[in-house]
Amino acid sequence: MKYFRSLLKDIGGGPAAEFALVLPLAIIFLFGIIDVGRLMWTWNMAEKATQMGVRYAVVTDYVVPGIATQSFVGQSSLTQGDPIPVSAYGTTTCIKPSTTVTCTCVGTCPWGASPTVATGSPDPFTRIFNRMDAIMPELAPANIQVLYKPSGLGFAGDPNGSDIAPLVTVQLTGVTFQPFLLQLFGGTITLPNFSASLTLEDGAGTVSN
């Protein structure tokens, strides 16, 4: 009986009990710090991949090749040498949800919206994806959108190349991040869309510096 009384009065294990109470919070805090670093790394990769994708897109072949050969002489009452207004054409958006590139147009797109695939080589969309995939390997083609928007730049009947220099935008959508704390439950966080835009340069070729 005396032994049990002394055991009840013993407070030698107090620090261990306090440590056991604090340990779960300390672990959560530690993994939270690690997850913030991982999130910033993923965020930075997504931004860099988007920037590299649009840089590649403006100096290589159009995803919709008809844009490069479209003459605006006679379109919207334009004559040879007239500046091409923003209202002369709409926005073309290209995606690759599976094995086929599909493009849609909002507004008037005189070149149509049908991409072509060069025989024996990757199509322009796939080349853009491959460039981005080198920066962020977890991407899929379905995460990428390539948009050609009116910029107000260009002249009807330009003899030196394409009549227009559209604003090219590459977007990343559906990029996910899985914190350590959610891995036990299979949960993920969907990051906001990433976007980068540049004015088209030559729009021809298959390589970029």
Side-chain angles (χ1 to χ4, degrees), residues 5 14 50 83 108 117 141 143 149 152 167 184:
R5 288 176 182 172
T50 306
T108 301
V117 178
N143 294 125
K149 303 177 181 180
L167 184 68
L184 295 176

Side-chain angles (χ1 to χ4, degrees), residues 116-209:
T116 60
V117 178
T119 302
S121 64
D123 62 87
F125 189 101
T126 299
R127 289 197 294 268
I128 295 170
F129 164 72
N130 290 341
R131 184 73 163 186
M132 299 171 68
D133 185 63
I135 306 296
M136 193 172 187
E138 57 264 45
L139 290 180
N143 294 125
I144 299 171
Q145 297 181 357
V146 181
L147 295 82
Y148 297 96
K149 303 177 181 180
S151 66
L153 300 176
F155 298 91
D158 189 340
N160 298 315
S162 176
D163 281 9
I164 59 172
L167 184 68
V168 182
T169 298
V170 171
Q171 291 183 345
L172 271 185
T173 63
V175 176
T176 60
F177 173 74
Q178 187 177 49
F180 284 131
L181 296 176
L182 292 182
Q183 288 186 7
L184 295 176
F185 309 101
T188 59
I189 298 173
T190 300
L191 301 183
N193 294 343
F194 298 86
S195 178
S197 300
L198 288 172
T199 304
L200 190 99
E201 294 183 19
D202 56 0
T206 60
V207 295
S208 168
N209 292 331

